[in-house]
């Protein structure tokens, strides 16, 4: 089949101990899914979580350099466990959700916080705050067949060697199986869909020259360096 413009490569993630890649279709992200982060963003600790999306185009596979994005003066990190769907479905029950997971990784939900706030203030979408070039760094995936389904374990971030985020996966308000159940009631989930499962408290700004080192014990690590804008 010919195309009238050149085809691009499907955004893909490396898989630990494999030469084969995981192709990415969509990126779902849950908001305010750790109690202390929910409070730091102005919540009362009981709000129902909600989702937004990033395009697969924003993926930065394996980390590396991130260009400081345009039109922001408040560029934030959010460290998150990434869930990679391996088997699609709709109306998936939480008790069956783990059967739909291919594996897990460590991601950063990079955010233009000032543009996100502008959207909130005017009741507008969050896309410009959340979905932009290089907004979704993610580590190699670890298959659930090797790892199991992590429900606890430290999730952390160091910026220039100083700890900025530290929590436990068990601090999530909505567990990963509950997130899959909720999402699959609204969408037909497909293989290649990623879910960024929320960030703990401690989010903050970074600038060119900063080194970010994120990790989830038992899952993996992700390193990113912020470099000047393109
Ligand atoms: Mn987030």
């Amino acid at each position: 089949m010919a195309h009238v413009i050149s085809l691009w490569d499907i955004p893909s993630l490396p898989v630990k101990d494999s030469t084969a890649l995981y192709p990415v279709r969509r990126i779902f992200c849950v908001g305010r899914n750790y109690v202390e982060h929910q409070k730091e963003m102005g919540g009362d600790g009981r709000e129902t979580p909600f989702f937004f999306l990033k395009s697969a185009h924003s993926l930065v596979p394996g980390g590396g350099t991130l260009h400081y994005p345009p039109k922001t003066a408040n560029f934030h990190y959010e460290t998150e466990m990434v869930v990679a769907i391996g088997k699609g479905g709709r109306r998936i029950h939480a008790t069956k959700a783990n059967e739909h997971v291919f594996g897990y990784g460590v991601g950063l939900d990079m955010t233009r916080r000032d543009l996100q706030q502008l959207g909130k203030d005017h009741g507008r979408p969050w896309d410009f705050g959340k979905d932009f070039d290089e907004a979704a760094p993610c580590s190699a995936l670890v298959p659930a067949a090797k790892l199991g389904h992590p429900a606890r374990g430290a999730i952390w971030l160091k910026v220039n060697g100083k700890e900025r985020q530290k929590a436990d996966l068990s601090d999530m308000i909505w567990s990963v199986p509950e997130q899959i159940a909720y999402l699959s009631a609204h969408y037909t989930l497909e293989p290649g869909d990623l879910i960024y499962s929320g960030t703990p408290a401690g989010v903050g700004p970074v600038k060119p020259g900063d080194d970010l080192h994120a990790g989830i014990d038992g899952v993996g690590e992700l390193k990113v360096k912020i470099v000047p804008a393109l």
Side-chain angles (χ1 to χ4, degrees):
M1 176 78 75
H3 296 85
V4 296
I5 58 171
S6 300
L7 282 186
W8 50 91
D9 293 333
I10 295 176
S12 299
L13 288 172
V15 176
K16 194 163 183 278
D17 301 327
S18 174
T19 54
L21 299 174
Y22 174 93
V24 175
R25 190 184 300 262
R26 290 175 293 191
I27 304 175
F28 296 96
C29 306
V30 68
R32 298 185 176 183
N33 196 36
Y34 286 76
V35 173
E36 293 307 316
H37 172 62
Q38 206 252 10
K39 288 178 182 168
E40 81 179 346
M41 300 306 285
D44 64 1
R46 293 188 300 277
E47 180 188 358
T48 301
F50 55 90
F51 289 82
F52 57 89
L53 287 94
K54 293 179 189 255
S55 53
H57 175 75
S58 68
L59 203 65
V60 183
T65 56
L66 273 198
H67 294 89
Y68 197 92
K71 298 291 185 186
T72 184
N74 199 14
F75 183 40
H76 275 212
Y77 54 77
E78 296 188 359
T79 307
E80 315 206 356
M81 184 167 77
V82 177
V83 183
I85 297 295
K87 187 175 87 175
R90 60 179 71 90
R91 293 188 290 276
I92 299 164
H93 196 274
T95 57
K96 300 277 189 189
N98 284 346
E99 299 171 15
H100 294 260
V101 176
F102 166 77
Y104 299 87
V106 181
L108 285 163
D109 167 18
M110 299 305 293
T111 302
R112 293 191 285 206
R113 191 72 72 199
D114 39 6
L115 296 189
Q116 182 197 24
Q117 188 60 49
L118 199 64
K120 288 182 186 178
D121 290 347
H122 292 84
R124 293 176 187 156
W126 284 12
D127 304 46
F128 279 30
K130 287 292 195 177
D131 185 10
F132 51 91
D133 296 346
E134 302 179 347
C138 186
S139 73
L141 298 174
V142 184
K146 291 183 181 172
L147 177 67
H149 298 278
R152 53 187 46 79
I155 176 170
W156 48 267
L157 174 75
K158 294 173 183 170
V159 179
N160 303 326
K162 291 185 89 172
E163 186 176 286
R164 296 297 183 200
Q165 292 191 285
K166 180 76 181 287
D168 196 279
L169 296 176
S170 61
D171 297 332
M172 286 186 193
I173 298 172
W174 280 25
S175 69
V176 169
E178 287 170 333
Q179 292 183 44
I180 291 170
Y182 185 88
L183 267 178
S184 69
H186 293 76
Y187 289 86
T188 303
L189 285 183
E190 303 278 3
D193 287 337
L194 297 179
I195 304 170
Y196 276 57
S197 60
T199 193
V203 301
V206 286
K207 59 186 187 313
D210 286 346
D211 288 302
L212 282 65
H213 183 190
I216 300 171
D217 292 356
V219 176
E221 298 185 9
L222 173 68
K223 287 184 175 176
V224 158
K225 185 177 188 69
I226 312 298
V227 298
L230 287 169

